[in-house]
Amino acid sequence: MQIPSGMFISEELRRRFAGATRVLVLTGAGVSAESGVPTFRGGGDTAVWKGLPFDVISSAHMVQQDLPAVWEWFDYRRDLLKSLEPNAAHKTLADWQHRFEDFTLVTQNVDGLHQRGGSRDVIELHGSIWRARCISCHSRYEFSAEELRPQECVGCGDAVLPDVVLFGELLPTGAFERAVEKAAACELCLVVGTSALVYPAAGLPELAKASGAFVCEVNPERTPLSDFCDEILMGKAGEVLPLFAESREP
Ligand code: BJW
């Protein structure tokens, strides 16, 4: 059954949420929109940097052409993030990790807001803006908002690049495999704030559904996944997710 408007959560979804043990949530840029992070597509505040669309500046090709420009784009985004806070959606998902026996949070986001909101063991499919990796030896460097990012690899002296997955790059080893395993085993799959256009991430809800899970989308706009979801809750993540609290006591 699909519920096309409003904040109404069906009895069936409430019942499934109340009884579920294995839950997987896939998030995208929309989950951070209410914190003030621009989305990539849709939502009006789409990411463009100095006239370059994000799929140009966030590309492996641009890393080869102009790495300083790529760093400038990521430095700008990290700077923006310093003044932003996790929102109600991040916090609700952090609570859910204590509510379900087997809860998996898979994100395409690189902003670290899930972790700042209290989530642990987040599967980051597209890397993190708070890490750099060496272009040659692949050493990784994590840094906080207060620290300067590394300028070069301490080990081999070669250039470092943001540790994010650019178009055409492979996802980090193990991350997608873990997500696939959990998607295939979950009973309830929520797809929150993603345009569901980028693969292989967008294939996870399809896998969950094919494995028997109930799939629900939370998004103010329809996506290519909407038609195949069991339920769609058209609204903002920070407004819709807290409504689930009524379905289950902690
Ligand atoms: C709200 C809201 C609110 C607003 N509440 N919601 C199969 C078919 C076709 C192509 C491919 C395929 N398999 C692989 C590909 C190629 C490619 C791909 O998918 N291309 C498609 C675009 C056509 N995939 C890849 O290249 C991936 N690598 C790969 O597959 O490697 C193997 C391979 C190698 C070589 C060739 C082929 C295969 C890697 C993908 C990496 C994606 N990287 C980026 C950039 C990261 C760095 C950076 O941050 O700059 O990741 S792209 C960008 O899109 C970013 C995001 O994580 C990703 C997904 O976007 P997301 O999160 O869905 O955000 P939006 O903005 O698109 O949507 C926001 C949504 O929120 C909207 O729906 C709003 O309505 C909603 N919203 N406010 C809830 N308050």
Side-chain angles (χ1 to χ4, degrees):
M1 178 179 54
Q2 296 194 354
I3 297 169
S5 67
M7 299 296 165
F8 180 73
I9 301 175
S10 73
E11 274 312 311
E12 177 169 16
L13 179 52
R14 285 189 187 281
R15 187 177 49 74
R16 285 179 181 268
F17 184 83
T21 51
R22 299 182 306 282
V23 175
L24 179 132
V25 178
L26 171 68
T27 65
V31 86
S32 295
E34 289 156 84
S35 293
V37 182
T39 58
F40 295 92
R41 309 165 189 85
D45 207 6
T46 303
V48 173
W49 171 246
K50 294 190 173 176
L52 293 173
F54 75 89
D55 51 350
V56 173
I57 189 81
S58 281
S59 70
H61 179 70
M62 187 58 86
V63 165
Q64 284 177 350
Q65 291 289 301
D66 193 349
L67 183 55
V70 174
W71 268 119
E72 210 185 318
W73 153 239
F74 280 92
D75 290 346
Y76 159 77
R77 287 166 62 189
R78 280 201 321 282
D79 231 38
L80 177 71
L81 277 166
K82 284 180 194 168
S83 59
L84 303 182
E85 295 295 331
N87 63 51
H90 297 110
K91 291 177 188 161
T92 300
L93 292 173
D95 285 347
W96 288 6
Q97 72 196 339
H98 307 297
R99 286 178 177 255
F100 298 102
E101 229 172 275
D102 188 350
F103 178 74
T104 307
L105 179 57
V106 184
T107 190
Q108 298 167 83
N109 298 347
V110 299
D111 56 30
L113 284 174
H114 278 307
Q115 290 86 341
R116 280 177 55 199
S119 286
R120 297 290 168 260
D121 297 325
V122 182
I123 300 181
E124 292 180 315
L125 291 180
H126 295 164
S128 170
I129 205 168
W130 300 104
R131 288 194 306 267
R133 71 171 190 271
C134 174
I135 229 156
S136 300
C137 71
H138 309 296
S139 295
R140 284 187 158 77
Y141 301 94
E142 199 158 347
F143 48 95
S144 68
E146 292 73 39
E147 291 170 316
L148 286 177
R149 66 166 168 83
Q151 300 296 308
E152 59 183 27
C153 178
V154 178
C156 72
D158 217 337
V160 289
L161 70 161
D163 189 20
V164 299
V165 182
L166 305 165
F167 275 113
E169 289 189 326
L170 293 173
L171 274 57
T173 316
F176 188 63
E177 290 76 3
R178 273 180 65 211
V180 162
E181 191 187 314
K182 293 296 189 177
C186 73
E187 301 155 74
L188 178 62
C189 172
L190 270 84
V191 190
V192 185
T194 175
S195 58
L197 289 168
V198 174
Y199 281 81
L204 291 170
E206 295 168 353
L207 173 62
K209 171 109 175 164
S211 309
F214 188 90
V215 179
C216 170
E217 177 173 71
V218 178
N219 197 315
E221 293 174 20
R222 292 182 68 85
T223 76
L225 279 185
S226 303
D227 277 340
F228 113 120
C229 286
D230 295 294
E231 182 151 334
I232 48 178
L233 298 171
M234 290 191 81
K236 295 181 175 180
E239 293 170 5
V240 175
L241 294 184
L243 298 178
F244 279 85
E246 297 158 24
S247 308
R248 186 177 179 123
E249 291 306 313

